[in-house]
Amino acid sequence: MLGRASSCDVTPAASAVSCVIRSFRGSLSPVGKINNNNSGPGERYLPRKMAAQEVQPSETIAKLKLESETLKTKLEEERAKLHDVELHQVAEKVEPLGQFVMKTRRTLKGHGNKVLCMDWCKDKRRIVSSSQDGKVIVWDAFTTNKEHAVTMPCTWVMACAYAPSGCAVACGGLDNKCSVYPLSLDKNENLAAKKKSVAMHTNYLSACSFTNSDMQILTSSGDGTCALWDVESGQLLQSFHGHAADVLCLDLAPSETGNTFVSGGCDKKANVWDMRTGQCIQSFETHESDINSVRYYPSGDAFASGSDDATCRLYDLRADREVAIYSKESIIFGASSVDFSLSGRLLFGGYNDYTINVWDVLKGTRVAILFGHENRVSTLRVSPDGTAFCSGSWDHTLRVWA
Amino acid sequence: MAQTNSYGQSSNGVSDESPNMLVYRKMEDIIARMQDEKIGIPIRTVKSFLSKIPSVFSVEALHLGTLMAAHGYFFPISDHVLTLKDDGTFYRFQTPYFWPSNCWEPENTDYAVYLCKRTMQNKARLELADYEAESLARLQRAFARKWEFIFMQAEAQAKVDKKRDKIERKILDSQERAFWDVHRPVPGCVNTTEADIKKSSRMKQPHKTRKSVYGLQNDVRGHSPTHTTTPEVREPTVEVLQQQIQYWQAQLDRHRLKMSKVAESLLSYTEQYMEYDPFFTSPEPCNPWISDDNTLWELEASKEPGQQRVRRWGFSFDEVLKDPVGREQFLKFLESEFSSENLQFWLAVQELKKRPVQEVPSRVREIWQEFLAPGAPNAINVDSKSYDKTTQNVKDPGRYTFEDAQEHIYKLMRSDSYSRFIRSSAYQELLQAKKKKSKNLF
């Protein structure tokens, strides 16, 4: 291990084998595993300049820093110039929304511990959910029947996703991997036997999503990166570096032709990425704490975020700025997950204070607060046809609301 | 809301707190306001608390209050269960020593000392609850070898307590009990000290974690399972800074729209789709989740598209491409115009991108042969620039080999064929929708 140049920031004395996994913060990319060869899963890293190599003249660095800061300030000025009106002002002419009746229509009980993640199947009724106890369950939410269950080898399965075909699910968490399980029609078949290990990160898997194909998966990780993988071969197709801390969430743009996705992280940034090139094409940094959830507005021109700073925000890609904040003085706990209704008029937010707040996206006001869960809401998704949304909670249950 | 705090705010005033600390600080701000001599609540009853939280419905106030109690900021003086109720019961504020922002992680040895001490105090109100008695029994088994030491500690504390003033003792007892109600909650109650494992490692000052309430020795906490050490901030290198500069420059060159334009666009999109949004317009015949009737889904799966669905294709070209029935109809239309190869090419390239990586090169060649090669049976027309680029790309086949050509064809269909499709008699007929069969069921 000591022979690997610059991989680990260790003194000989501290080079205990326990220092295997390490992640750099700041502007450097994550470091690969000990046995990382260059063809391994995407760990491009910028080697630290060792003392033996040339020392960077500090004036050059200072000058470049200044240039970078100047450009950043200029960018903020340019963005501000086009800020001629607020969204909620323009929205004053829109009819205010009436009272909503939203109730729990189904309660899914069966997990033995905190529900951490869920996803809908394209058939609009099936759901996959994952839990701290290592279980991944596939439900027919309409009948509340459990259809499949898999026990993962690790606890804290933080991410799960349904394949577009409905024939497989992906999941992962503390094992740093994303695995795909084909769903068998034979209820007795042991799903775990057919498991396919696809993604390999150097820290926990925080989110995963199939692209519009069963053959590709997009992942985000505590190692600060996102990555696109070929399911069949496990090959890394593209990696995305740019976050300065754990990446907690991602969402694919809804376009038929687009190749972009957005990610949010503990560095308080939301980044928009080009899937083809791996480049970060836009970045937004206005939250005051971790971004736990990002979701595109249905047209794909904007996206919402939920954060530990107890606010949700709307960012428009064409205006290149934050265009709305959804907050209230009485909401002091973080938002863990957000999603839009089909038209984009409503934003549903699941919060760490056990409630779900429903926001009028255009006017910026809250239109409903939903009680029911007995612990944090950790995950929330609207169904593919918008007829309902499902929330998962640390109270071990999932609820479908309509 | 200037409140001095020592929770590790960085010197430039920008909060760099962990998410937990952020929430604790907000709750403590509320506590401070509650305790303020002028605007706070009289230290008698919590009823007026409900009117002090600004702009909040009382249900929400109760809920927030319950959460603050569950985190241990105040507590009912005669109940283990930490909630806030609007029934005139009395509450007490918790001493800041026990606040969760002090990063308490008390060990079981401390809990053992506490429970043991309780048994030594001959007051009916301090009798152990059932779950506490069970815990004590379990701890006695677990710490059998240490028990003498634990017993001694408990004895010593009980002695000190006896010397205290009666009222002071009552208050301290209740505060201590409330502390343990947070860290060893009544079975069935939420344990608010449970942390999200993704964030649990990011306490600003891990060495400040307090583990022992009574000064017992405890093992040092090992690394969190999600991170090994807190990273240092490094000076960026020249390379990195140059990348940053490039990035900012690219952002500056970006074309931006005015807010007013963007706002209008968001409004009109939402307006257009609100009739399709089940939260605003009840779907026909009914919402399956509300009525327990899934006819809606069966109708959607059928090949006959309803009028509302057909109308949606007119909103944008993407709507046609998104809907399998829309694609089918559009293809039929293109066939009638002898330009179906465009859509077929577009679909083939979409499908190519979904293939496993191994299958890509051969599929690329097939698509090339069918649509672009000289003498191709389904030749498409692309501009020469895209054609040349594609010719080059094919030599090193990948998922994005046909990206330029596909974009060109997409734009062509959207600006040309699509508008004719919407005006076509075939589409207009579908739009006039004959009555849906389900309506004539009886």
Side-chain angles (χ1 to χ4, degrees):
Chain A
M1 183 188 103
L2 290 176
R4 292 276 160 194
S6 72
S7 286
C8 282
D9 178 26
V10 292
T11 62
S15 66
V17 177
S18 59
C19 177
V20 169
I21 293 169
R22 178 98 191 241
S23 49
F24 280 123
R25 297 290 181 251
S27 39
L28 299 181
S29 343
V31 173
K33 303 196 292 279
I34 292 298
N35 56 350
N36 181 31
N37 47 37
N38 286 331
S39 62
E43 296 311 323
R44 167 179 72 80
Y45 62 91
L46 300 173
R48 280 187 64 233
K49 306 287 182 187
M50 304 293 270
Q53 295 173 356
E54 65 171 72
V55 171
Q56 305 292 337
S58 51
E59 308 113 52
T60 320
I61 293 206
K63 225 185 346 171
L64 287 175
K65 256 189 173 175
L66 181 62
E67 193 180 340
S68 180
E69 289 299 314
T70 314
L71 284 173
K72 187 175 176 186
T73 312
K74 198 158 171 228
L75 176 65
E76 272 153 34
E77 283 166 10
E78 289 301 310
R79 279 174 165 174
K81 275 186 197 162
L82 297 169
H83 189 196
D84 54 346
V85 74
E86 295 286 348
L87 174 61
H88 63 84
Q89 287 171 318
V90 176
E92 273 163 23
K93 62 188 178 196
V94 179
E95 280 273 317
L97 298 175
Q99 279 284 59
F100 279 94
V101 176
M102 277 182 232
K103 290 201 274 192
T104 301
R105 306 290 175 172
R106 302 285 191 281
T107 305
L108 305 179
K109 297 192 187 171
H111 276 295
N113 210 319
K114 309 178 176 69
V115 176
L116 302 176
C117 188
M118 59 80 45
D119 191 20
W120 287 90
C121 177
K122 283 218 157 83
D123 73 358
K124 310 154 197 171
R125 54 190 287 171
R126 283 176 174 74
I127 278 175
V128 62
S129 60
S130 64
S131 161
Q132 183 192 336
D133 65 358
K135 291 254 185 352
V136 174
I137 299 180
V138 174
W139 318 72
D140 176 347
F142 190 64
T143 60
T144 73
N145 289 339
K146 299 189 216 7
E147 296 194 337
H148 300 94
V150 182
T151 306
M152 294 281 283
C154 68
T155 58
W156 287 88
V157 188
M158 304 163 188
C160 63
Y162 227 118
S165 68
C167 298
V169 293
C171 51
L174 276 189
D175 57 358
N176 301 356
K177 297 192 207 153
C178 185
S179 309
V180 176
Y181 292 82
L183 295 175
S184 158
L185 286 170
D186 177 2
K187 301 279 164 77
N188 293 324
E189 186 167 0
N190 181 12
L191 285 183
K194 291 250 177 86
K195 160 178 154 178
K196 202 182 189 95
S197 234
V198 174
M200 292 276 270
H201 279 279
T202 55
N203 212 316
Y204 65 85
L205 186 84
S206 54
C208 62
S209 173
F210 285 87
T211 61
N212 48 20
S213 152
D214 279 23
M215 286 296 125
Q216 281 134 33
I217 287 194
L218 191 58
T219 59
S220 64
S221 166
D223 67 14
T225 72
C226 300
L228 181 69
W229 310 83
D230 179 70
V231 172
E232 198 175 54
S233 62
Q235 189 185 329
L236 174 76
L237 298 173
Q238 185 63 252
S239 66
F240 305 88
H241 300 253
H243 277 288
D246 306 20
V247 187
L248 296 177
C249 51
L250 59 84
D251 191 36
L252 279 150
S255 161
E256 289 305 299
T257 54
N259 287 310
T260 60
F261 73 96
V262 62
S263 65
C266 294
D267 58 357
K268 312 171 195 169
K269 285 208 208 139
N271 290 339
V272 181
W273 306 88
D274 179 337
M275 271 164 64
R276 278 180 60 185
T277 60
Q279 292 302 309
C280 173
I281 49 187
Q282 249 173 313
S283 185
F284 303 89
E285 193 175 353
T286 62
H287 271 294
E288 293 168 15
S289 188
D290 301 4
I291 297 179
N292 297 315
S293 173
V294 285
R295 197 72 68 207
Y296 271 94
Y297 180 80
S299 74
D301 294 318
F303 67 91
S305 58
S307 162
D308 276 333
D309 67 7
T311 70
C312 298
R313 297 178 196 231
L314 185 69
Y315 298 90
D316 189 287
L317 301 176
R318 301 159 296 185
D320 192 29
R321 59 179 296 116
E322 171 194 292
V323 300
I325 305 185
Y326 308 101
S327 67
K328 252 176 139 27
E329 215 179 329
S330 53
I331 301 177
I332 61 175
F333 285 80
S336 64
S337 47
V338 297
D339 204 354
F340 287 97
S341 71
L342 190 140
S343 63
R345 182 66 192 267
L346 296 177
L347 180 69
F348 301 104
Y351 288 74
N352 290 340
D353 65 2
Y354 320 170
T355 67
I356 294 163
N357 289 290
V358 186
W359 302 92
D360 179 332
V361 170
L362 302 177
K363 292 186 180 283
T365 53
R366 182 178 67 185
V367 295
I369 176 170
L370 305 174
F371 296 95
H373 278 296
E374 294 167 13
N375 204 326
R376 291 193 197 191
V377 178
S378 52
T379 178
L380 186 155
R381 298 292 301 256
V382 171
S383 74
D385 63 352
T387 49
F389 69 89
C390 178
S391 57
S393 163
W394 280 18
D395 69 5
H396 308 190
T397 70
L398 295 117
R399 285 171 179 247
V400 180
W401 307 74
Chain B
M1 217 170 314
Q3 163 134 330
T4 53
N5 71 71
S6 50
Y7 307 135
Q9 260 190 356
S10 49
S11 57
N12 63 1
V14 172
S15 176
D16 215 9
E17 296 163 313
S18 71
N20 280 357
M21 282 305 202
L22 204 55
V23 181
Y24 295 149
R25 189 164 57 76
K26 288 180 189 171
M27 285 195 278
E28 285 158 20
D29 283 349
I30 295 177
I31 292 285
R33 274 193 290 170
M34 283 167 71
Q35 290 178 323
D36 183 292
E37 269 169 27
K38 296 196 204 103
I39 63 164
I41 64 178
I43 305 186
R44 278 258 176 259
T45 147
V46 86
K47 264 194 166 149
S48 43
F49 165 57
L50 298 175
S51 57
K52 295 299 178 193
I53 301 277
S55 66
V56 139
F57 300 104
S58 70
V59 172
E60 198 177 353
L62 270 178
H63 181 77
L64 178 57
T66 295
L67 279 172
M68 290 177 64
H71 277 86
Y73 283 99
F74 49 78
F75 52 92
I77 58 179
S78 45
D79 194 347
H80 276 296
V81 178
L82 299 169
T83 53
L84 180 65
K85 292 200 194 110
D86 183 14
D87 60 0
T89 49
F90 288 112
Y91 295 78
R92 182 170 289 141
F93 286 107
Q94 180 59 287
T95 169
Y97 177 70
F98 281 138
W99 282 359
S101 45
N102 288 326
C103 308
W104 285 105
E105 282 175 32
E107 300 280 336
N108 279 328
T109 39
D110 279 354
Y111 192 42
V113 168
Y114 165 69
L115 289 176
C116 197
K117 177 175 66 168
R118 287 266 300 277
T119 62
M120 297 171 183
Q121 291 161 321
N122 290 328
K123 296 275 191 253
R125 65 176 166 83
L126 296 174
E127 219 175 72
L128 291 186
D130 285 344
Y131 77 94
E132 288 176 311
E134 278 171 32
S135 298
L136 181 57
R138 240 187 321 113
L139 289 166
Q140 273 173 326
R141 287 194 298 274
F143 293 130
R145 282 192 242 141
K146 281 204 238 191
W147 199 256
E148 203 178 306
F149 178 63
I150 289 175
F151 191 83
M152 269 166 46
Q153 285 286 318
E155 249 185 347
Q157 291 202 8
K159 237 189 196 168
V160 169
D161 281 349
K162 276 204 174 75
K163 295 200 187 124
R164 283 197 224 272
D165 166 64
K166 203 176 180 182
I167 294 180
E168 197 195 349
R169 197 165 15 136
K170 208 173 165 190
I171 294 178
L172 288 175
D173 279 350
S174 68
Q175 289 173 336
E176 195 187 15
R177 193 199 64 201
F179 172 80
W180 286 110
D181 287 340
V182 170
H183 290 273
R184 299 287 186 276
V186 177
C189 288
V190 173
N191 184 341
T192 57
T193 64
E194 278 183 323
D196 183 342
I197 206 169
K198 301 185 295 237
K199 326 228 177 187
S200 62
S201 68
R202 279 165 48 233
M203 304 296 272
K204 195 60 179 156
Q205 284 134 328
H207 58 275
K208 257 201 173 174
T209 302
R210 305 175 73 160
K211 293 190 193 301
S212 176
V213 192
Y214 307 118
L216 294 179
Q217 244 343 59
N218 294 293
D219 25 326
V220 179
R221 170 143 302 207
H223 286 307
S224 138
T226 55
H227 294 277
T228 47
T229 47
T230 35
E232 313 138 27
V233 176
R234 280 191 175 72
E235 273 285 299
T237 63
V238 166
E239 221 170 0
V240 165
L241 283 168
Q242 282 169 341
Q243 277 179 355
Q244 270 180 16
I245 289 169
Q246 252 186 338
Y247 174 77
W248 294 127
Q249 198 58 61
Q251 292 302 308
L252 271 166
D253 293 340
R254 160 191 299 283
H255 173 61
R256 259 169 227 90
L257 286 186
K258 267 201 287 198
M259 255 317 292
S260 44
K261 246 191 159 180
V262 156
E264 290 296 340
S265 163
L266 291 170
L267 256 67
S268 64
Y269 180 92
T270 298
E271 199 182 356
Q272 191 176 47
Y273 282 89
M274 263 173 86
E275 74 167 283
Y276 294 86
D277 188 336
F279 281 99
F280 294 103
T281 316
S282 196
E284 299 262 329
C286 55
N287 186 323
W289 301 101
I290 300 177
S291 62
D292 289 346
D293 171 0
N294 64 348
T295 312
L296 173 73
W297 292 331
E298 286 172 0
L299 286 175
E300 277 172 9
S302 77
K303 283 279 172 168
E304 290 217 15
Q307 187 195 36
Q308 209 188 28
R309 187 172 171 183
V310 173
R311 187 148 36 90
R312 200 168 161 170
W313 303 341
F315 292 171
S316 73
F317 184 39
D318 273 9
E319 288 289 350
V320 172
L321 292 177
K322 241 193 327 192
D323 188 340
V325 179
R327 284 199 298 271
E328 210 182 290
Q329 291 297 321
F330 186 55
L331 187 67
K332 258 201 218 159
F333 170 76
L334 290 177
E335 280 165 359
S336 73
E337 292 205 331
F338 303 102
S339 60
S340 64
E341 65 276 358
N342 284 339
L343 183 60
Q344 280 167 344
F345 170 71
W346 189 87
L347 290 171
V349 177
Q350 287 297 88
E351 201 265 337
L352 167 73
K353 289 190 268 197
K354 297 182 190 182
R355 291 268 184 121
V357 141
Q358 282 174 350
E359 297 176 17
V360 164
S362 58
R363 189 72 191 118
V364 164
R365 280 188 287 273
E366 283 170 15
I367 293 177
W368 171 260
Q369 287 303 322
E370 187 175 346
F371 295 100
L372 286 160
N378 266 331
I380 56 170
N381 260 325
V382 287
D383 60 300
S384 55
K385 193 171 170 204
S386 304
Y387 191 85
D388 290 339
K389 188 113 188 284
T390 311
T391 314
Q392 286 304 310
N393 290 347
V394 167
K395 296 182 183 158
D396 183 18
R399 280 151 60 243
Y400 297 111
T401 296
F402 297 110
E403 209 61 3
D404 290 330
Q406 195 193 26
E407 202 182 321
H408 178 89
I409 292 293
Y410 172 83
K411 287 183 177 154
L412 187 65
M413 288 194 291
R414 184 179 62 186
S415 60
D416 193 32
S417 324
Y418 171 65
S419 40
R420 282 202 302 279
F421 169 64
I422 297 301
R423 294 196 303 266
S424 73
S425 53
Y427 177 75
Q428 292 299 324
E429 260 171 47
L430 282 172
L431 206 53
Q432 306 310 328
K434 36 192 185 298
K435 278 217 170 101
K436 276 191 272 196
K437 287 191 184 137
S438 62
K439 286 194 174 149
N440 297 335
L441 265 178
F442 46 86

